[in-house]
Amino acid sequence: MTELELIIDLHKNSERQGPGSEKETLKALEVMSLPNDRKLKVADIGCGSGGQTITLAQNINGQITAIDLFPEFLDELNDKSEKLGLKEKIKTLEKSMDDLPFNNENFDIIWSEGAIYNVGFENGIKKWKDYLKVGGYLAVSEITWLTNSRPKDIEDFWTQEYPEIDIASNKIKVLENNGYSLVGYFYLRQDSWIENYYKPMEARFENFLERNNNSELAKKVVEENNAEIELHRKYKEYYSYGFYIARKN
Ligand SMILES: C[S@@+](CC[C@H](N)C(=O)[O-])C[C@H]1O[C@@H](n2cnc3c(N)ncnc32)[C@H](O)[C@@H]1O
């Protein structure tokens, strides 16, 4: 297996592929004033196995297109939505988020939890804006500094991983400069990282290594994730995922 295949293998059969929670998905949804006289069209971009997609389908009157690059995650989402009787509300689409086949002004809501970094925040919000109706909502979570300065260790780690990491006020400025008005911001609580993401991942390490014959590459994947978890334990006060909810002007 390649490293990418191993990463997918590690994240398979898990509730979520990134930090988040049902409570916070609902919190982001609550700040939107949504019309209730018609069915809404929603895109969930980088949906993974659909932790948040299911919550959206259960709480929005409308149709959700859930997009991810990897069929492994979409298959899991399809199984879940079938079991929950949500098959009619959730359609999956295997596509890259930088090459989406949508018409302009097609969606009432574009949702993306922990995934826009794959194309970059500014690039993503610019590209996806075309697909949103005027007055439609964008809800994205994105790694964000919580303080204006921080220890060098953690600054270096995240700047190297994702150079666009910034404080919320600068991210909000990027939204405003690109034709959105902010309607809400909060950042994910620590439980959403630790209880919902890191602990379940740690619990999968042993089986993951076993089924991949303790290969050097599989060990490397575990080591890298362990290093990230360790840094989070040490520096969690300095960063989180910011949840940005904005409206297209
Ligand atoms: C950190 S995970 C977040 C998944 C999910 N939203 C959640 O919060 O559990 C990022 C997701 O983006 C997907 N992804 C990565 N690159 C992508 C791309 N170019 N187009 C679409 N999805 C992509 C990954 O497969 C993964 O499911």
Coordinates of all heavy atoms in Angstrom, one line a residue, residues 16-19 46-48 52 68-70 73 95-97 113-115 117-118, ligand 1:
R16 N -15.6 9.9 12.4 CA -15.2 11.1 11.8 C -13.8 11.0 11.3 O -13.0 10.2 11.9 CB -15.3 12.3 12.7 CG -16.2 12.3 13.9 CD -16.2 13.6 14.6 NE -16.1 14.7 13.7 CZ -17.1 15.4 13.2 NH1 -18.3 15.1 13.6 NH2 -17.0 16.3 12.3
Q17 N -13.4 11.8 10.4 CA -12.0 11.8 9.9 C -11.3 13.0 10.4 O -10.1 13.3 10.0 CB -11.9 11.7 8.4 CG -12.2 10.3 7.8 CD -13.6 9.9 8.0 OE1 -14.5 10.7 7.8 NE2 -13.9 8.7 8.4
G18 N -11.9 13.8 11.2 CA -11.3 15.0 11.7 C -12.1 15.5 13.0 O -13.1 14.9 13.3
P19 N -11.5 16.5 13.7 CA -12.2 17.0 14.9 C -13.6 17.6 14.6 O -13.7 18.2 13.6 CB -11.2 18.1 15.4 CG -9.9 17.8 14.7 CD -10.3 17.2 13.4
G46 N -15.9 17.4 1.1 CA -14.9 16.7 1.9 C -15.7 16.0 3.1 O -15.2 16.1 4.2
C47 N -16.7 15.3 2.8 CA -17.6 14.8 3.8 C -17.1 13.6 4.6 O -17.5 13.3 5.7 CB -19.0 14.4 3.2 SG -18.8 13.1 1.9
G48 N -16.0 13.0 4.1 CA -15.5 11.8 4.7 C -16.6 10.7 4.8 O -17.5 10.6 4.0
Q52 N -20.9 14.6 10.0 CA -21.7 15.8 9.9 C -22.8 15.7 8.9 O -23.9 16.3 9.1 CB -20.9 17.1 9.7 CG -20.3 17.3 8.3 CD -19.2 16.3 8.0 OE1 -18.3 16.0 8.8 NE2 -19.3 15.7 6.8
D68 N -16.7 13.6 -1.7 CA -15.4 13.2 -1.2 C -14.6 12.6 -2.4 O -15.1 12.1 -3.3 CB -15.4 12.3 0.0 CG -14.2 12.4 0.9 OD1 -13.2 11.8 0.5 OD2 -14.3 13.1 1.9
L69 N -13.3 12.7 -2.2 CA -12.4 12.2 -3.2 C -12.3 10.7 -3.1 O -12.0 10.0 -4.1 CB -11.0 12.8 -3.1 CG -9.9 12.6 -4.1 CD1 -10.4 13.1 -5.5 CD2 -8.7 13.5 -3.8
F70 N -12.6 10.1 -1.9 CA -12.3 8.7 -1.7 C -13.5 7.8 -1.6 O -14.3 8.1 -0.6 CB -11.3 8.5 -0.6 CG -10.0 9.2 -0.8 CD1 -9.7 10.4 0.0 CD2 -9.2 8.9 -1.8 CE1 -8.5 11.1 -0.2 CE2 -8.0 9.5 -2.0 CZ -7.7 10.6 -1.2
F73 N -14.7 6.2 1.9 CA -15.5 6.9 2.9 C -17.0 7.1 2.4 O -17.9 7.0 3.2 CB -14.9 8.3 3.1 CG -13.5 8.3 3.7 CD1 -12.6 9.2 3.2 CD2 -13.2 7.4 4.7 CE1 -11.3 9.1 3.7 CE2 -11.9 7.4 5.2 CZ -10.9 8.2 4.7
K95 N -15.7 13.1 -6.2 CA -15.1 14.1 -7.0 C -14.1 14.9 -6.2 O -14.2 14.9 -4.9 CB -16.2 15.1 -7.4 CG -16.9 14.8 -8.7 CD -16.1 15.3 -9.8 CE -16.6 15.0 -11.2 NZ -15.6 15.2 -12.3
S96 N -13.2 15.6 -6.8 CA -12.3 16.4 -6.1 C -12.9 17.8 -5.9 O -13.6 18.3 -6.8 CB -11.0 16.6 -6.9 OG -10.1 17.4 -6.1
M97 N -12.7 18.3 -4.7 CA -13.3 19.6 -4.3 C -12.8 20.8 -5.2 O -13.4 21.9 -5.2 CB -13.1 19.9 -2.9 CG -11.7 20.0 -2.4 SD -11.6 20.5 -0.7 CE -11.9 18.9 0.2
E113 N -16.5 20.6 6.8 CA -15.9 20.5 8.1 C -14.5 19.9 7.9 O -14.3 18.7 7.4 CB -16.7 19.6 9.1 CG -18.0 20.4 9.4 CD -18.7 19.8 10.7 OE1 -18.0 19.3 11.6 OE2 -19.9 20.0 10.8
G114 N -13.5 20.6 8.3 CA -12.1 20.1 8.4 C -11.6 19.7 7.0 O -10.8 18.7 7.0
A115 N -12.0 20.3 5.9 CA -11.6 19.7 4.7 C -11.1 20.8 3.7 O -10.3 20.5 2.7 CB -12.7 18.9 4.0
Y117 N -8.9 22.8 3.8 CA -7.4 23.0 3.7 C -6.8 22.2 2.5 O -5.7 22.6 2.0 CB -6.8 22.5 5.0 CG -6.8 21.0 5.2 CD1 -5.8 20.2 4.7 CD2 -7.9 20.4 5.9 CE1 -5.8 18.8 4.9 CE2 -7.9 19.0 6.1 CZ -6.9 18.3 5.6 OH -6.9 16.9 5.7
N118 N -7.5 21.2 2.0 CA -7.0 20.5 0.9 C -6.8 21.3 -0.4 O -6.0 21.0 -1.2 CB -7.9 19.3 0.6 CG -7.8 18.2 1.6 OD1 -6.8 17.6 1.8 ND2 -8.9 17.9 2.4
Ligands
LIG1 C1 -10.1 15.8 7.9 S1 -11.2 14.9 6.8 C2 -12.7 15.6 7.3 C3 -13.9 14.6 7.0 C4 -15.2 15.0 7.6 N1 -15.7 16.3 7.1 C5 -15.2 15.1 9.1 O1 -15.1 16.2 9.7 O2 -15.2 14.0 9.7 C6 -10.9 15.6 5.2 C7 -11.7 15.0 4.1 O3 -11.4 15.6 2.9 C8 -11.3 14.6 1.9 N2 -10.5 15.1 0.8 C9 -9.2 15.2 0.7 N3 -8.8 15.8 -0.5 C10 -10.0 16.0 -1.2 C11 -10.3 16.5 -2.4 N4 -9.4 17.0 -3.2 N5 -11.6 16.6 -2.8 C12 -12.6 16.1 -2.0 N6 -12.4 15.6 -0.8 C13 -11.1 15.5 -0.4 C14 -10.7 13.4 2.6 O4 -11.0 12.2 2.0 C15 -11.4 13.5 4.0 O5 -12.6 12.8 4.0

